Amino acid sequence: MACKVTEFGAVREVWAGFSLGHETCCSLRNRVDSTKTQRFVIGCQQENAAFPYPDTGVILTFQLSLLFLVVVELITNIFFGKRELDVSAGGRKRIMMMIRRWRRSGDFLRSACKSLTSLRQKHNSMSPSVSGFVNRYESKGKTFESNAWNDHNRELDHHSCVGGNLWMMQQYKSFGSSSSSASKLQRNPLFSSLEPRDVSFFNEILGGEKYVVQDEERLETANTDWMHKYKGSSKLMLLPKTTEEVSQILKYCDSRSLAVVPQGGNTGLVGGSVPVFDEVIINVGLMNKVLSFDEVSGVLVCEAGCILENLATFLDPKGFVMPLDLGAKGSCHIGGNVSTNAGGLRLIRYGSLHGTVLGLEAVTANGNVLDMLGTLRKDNTGYDLKHLFIGSEGSLGIVTKVSILTQPKMSSVNLAFIACKDFLSCQKLLVEAKRNLGEILSAFEFLDNNSMDLVLNHLDGVRNPVSSSENFYILIETTGSGETYDREKLEAFLLKSLEQGLVSDGVIAQDINQASSFWRIREGITEALQKAGAFYKYDLSLPVEEIYNIVNDLRGRLGDLANVMGYGHLGDGNLHLNISASEYNDKLLGLIEPYVYEWTSKHRGSISAEHGLGVMKANEIFYSKSPETVALMVSIKKLLDPKGILNPYKVLPHSFFSP
Amino acid sequence: MKILVAVKRVVDYAVKIRVKPDKTGVDTQNVKMSMNPFCEIALEEALRIKEAGFAKEVVAVSIGPSQCVDTLRTGLAMGADRGIHVEASYSFLPLTIAKILKSLADVENPGLIFLGKQAIDDDCNQTGQMVAALLGWPQATFASKVVVLDKDKQSATVDREVDEGLETLSVDLPAVITTDLRLNQPRYATLPNIMKAKSKPIKKMTLEDLKVDIKSDIEIVEVTEPPKRKSGVIVSSVDELIYKLKNEAHVV
């Protein structure tokens, strides 16, 4: 609500944020600026969530103060003649609006997630709003935009949003931990159960039992994700060989309301590739042919079941490389990479899959084959629908063919392993690297001391390249065409950094063997985590200067309970936060979530930088996306998949789809 | 005592090599080159002996085209004191290399010559032995442990890896030692060392300076890839196996 009170003497202006109904979320913030004007932004939460109510005392105080201010305005208007008490239709309407707003403020306050007082302390950590809120406030707050007071505050508010809007929202949500929400998950009764007639139908269209798997052991592996954290109970796995077969399968499943899970290499880290209940698994592993490769343009067209490493091996003799590289390359399928918009180690150089995928062929829930398999670098004809499928994690359609732009292979690859004393040096090093190494920089990774110790303890044949143990280690890789030139550039940059004190020690790999051993350290952290016991894994996108603060904060919060590690793609602002403990326990989880999500949201980060939402973070989407955006996503999902059979319970919050 | 270490610039160990279409050799264009892994181990051992106090200076030497200087720079970055580059337009066979190293040894007078046991591009395993023969020095090849006893005694104890196991030899210095894989793990080139390496000298020498006759009695006629391995056959029973062994493979 917004209540404008004319300034008179000591009367302060009070602004309160508007909240628009059940699914909005905004947060309470109290900001005091130097003009001694207080602005309140009231927040509220989604009704279904569980949250602590603010103190009744606080609500009452606030409401009373608002009432007081409204009364004061009326009095000043009447007695001091600033304005005639306008009892015309317009005037009455205005007063009625004010009263209505005041009433609503009570409702909003009651559902606010945090008390006024607790948020008061956070007024220095403001952040720009998520776009949806800004627009909303702009449209509602026409009266506010036109006054000078607005303009005045624009300069003060350096986190101003679009249109010089005053409002800055933070998202504060406490939905409860993901594990508890997952355990509350019920199988959607609208989905049918598998029957023998279904199996015989699949036998018929796929051509035999070889492609219709009901074998317990194979299903066991297909039902469990790579981290052994999520396990489904599917009774059937299908192995189609052509797009036509996929189309027929989906058409049938849609008509029978059988839920399906598209599966590739099953290397996902958020439980998005395994069934939650008894969904039928459609594994595209047999669709692994390379269809064509243009040696001039570098465009590769292949089926979705091609393993990434195999594609790289195929391209190598031709003098090209895949534009993405990740630790799971030995098992992940390109179809899965595209469906999850995989990032990886080389994103800083080649960009994301949204840029490098030129086309794809996908099958929607009703069996429709969408042929968007273009090989053109530029094609501005209509809406570019392939972007919907890239990153939708199999919930909008099954990707069956991919057309991707590969990069020329450059022979001169250099790798340096650096040790830095503190995180500030790491950041400065990143800035300097981008400036000095520029076009040849192809990877910039970091890991902290705890990660290095974990790897040294749990993996064989690994040694610390730098002789001393430092707080942070950085991997810088350059890829270029001139061997000597690149080498000199890298050496000059590193020596300069050494002199400036940004780098405390470092090593340059002399041959590919040494380079692989450096990469082994960085890529082996996930493996070492598995060996170390239980682990909680988070993948966050944060502003580079904030990245390590969350690790330190979480360390302070957890104390001796667990080992907190931070590593990741520093060049992309992507932190992989991992907490390693001897065993899984809910108390630890309760301390971690939703603290991590709230922290990220507060600093306008993303709760899933590259891993996707899967089933792990489906309900947490609101930490990073506004309600309107999510609502539109839901509409698109319902448009493309009305029965919701494709990868249910994932990506979007469950509440939208439960009957 | 001075130690001379011979290092060779070869195609990187991890690169998948291909034969040139004209079959004259292996394709080395646009391919990552680096120091031969055995030469790295040899250099590492020389450095360790110097650090133990038994040697004053480690000299790295490389024979080949101008890019060999990169390899020598790596050697200097690891810790060698100076480098010698012998200019040669194409790659030589072991006997020629051995003759060049003999001339160098006559000039430099080292107490020990370290080489890698073989180069990974030709797998000859001949150079070290030939150098020792030309110089008339004792040799200890396939070294898996080297202990220099003391400066006065002027001898070293070397464990050699041979087919029957380990053989321990005592060699009088000056001697030639070639290194095997398990001798040590080479150090990485650290940034401070790379910085120091920039000021270390690399002396350029030509074949005329060394008065070496490079005429070779051996000429490489053709280089081909080995025939592709045929895939195996899975037999379904012992009878079928015996049938195949008898009638198809003719081994029983």
Side-chain angles (χ1 to χ4, degrees), chain B residues 125-141:
Chain B
N125 190 359
Q126 298 165 12
T127 315
Q129 291 87 332
M130 287 176 175
V131 173
L134 287 171
L135 284 169
W137 290 3
Q139 57 176 277
T141 53

Side-chain angles (χ1 to χ4, degrees), chain A residues 317 411 413-414 418 463 465 483-484 491 494-495 498-499 503 505-508 510-514 517-518, chain B residues 12-15 18 30-35 40 70 74 185-192 194-195 198:
Chain A
S411 52
V413 179
N414 286 301
I418 318 264
R463 55 176 172 139
E483 173 101 43
T484 338
E491 276 180 17
L494 288 174
L495 291 176
L498 188 67
E499 279 165 29
V503 164
D505 198 4
V507 165
I508 300 186
Q510 299 302 316
D511 52 38
I512 299 184
N513 232 358
Q514 289 186 357
S517 61
F518 295 173
Chain B
D12 193 299
Y13 156 71
V15 167
R18 279 174 307 159
N30 285 331
V31 160
K32 174 107 175 130
M33 308 283 276
S34 51
M35 196 192 287
E40 265 180 23
D70 293 336
T74 307
Q185 214 173 20
R187 63 192 63 182
Y188 295 118
T190 61
L191 286 179
I194 292 174
M195 194 151 65
K198 289 198 184 302

Side-chain angles (χ1 to χ4, degrees), chain B residues 151-164:
Chain B
K151 291 186 250 196
D152 302 324
K153 269 214 197 145
Q154 289 291 304
S155 73
T157 309
V158 180
D159 281 359
R160 303 179 58 221
E161 274 186 24
V162 292
D163 292 338
E164 295 93 23

Side-chain angles (χ1 to χ4, degrees), chain A residues 371-412:
Chain A
D371 181 4
M372 303 174 284
L373 198 63
T375 53
L376 304 168
R377 194 79 180 76
K378 300 164 92 170
D379 181 13
N380 277 351
T381 51
Y383 304 144
D384 201 356
L385 293 178
K386 66 174 188 280
H387 292 292
L388 267 183
F389 294 92
I390 302 175
S392 63
E393 304 181 46
S395 59
L396 294 178
I398 299 186
V399 172
T400 47
K401 293 198 182 81
V402 175
S403 155
I404 192 165
L405 181 66
T406 61
Q407 300 292 332
K409 180 173 143 155
M410 298 215 228
S411 52
S412 157

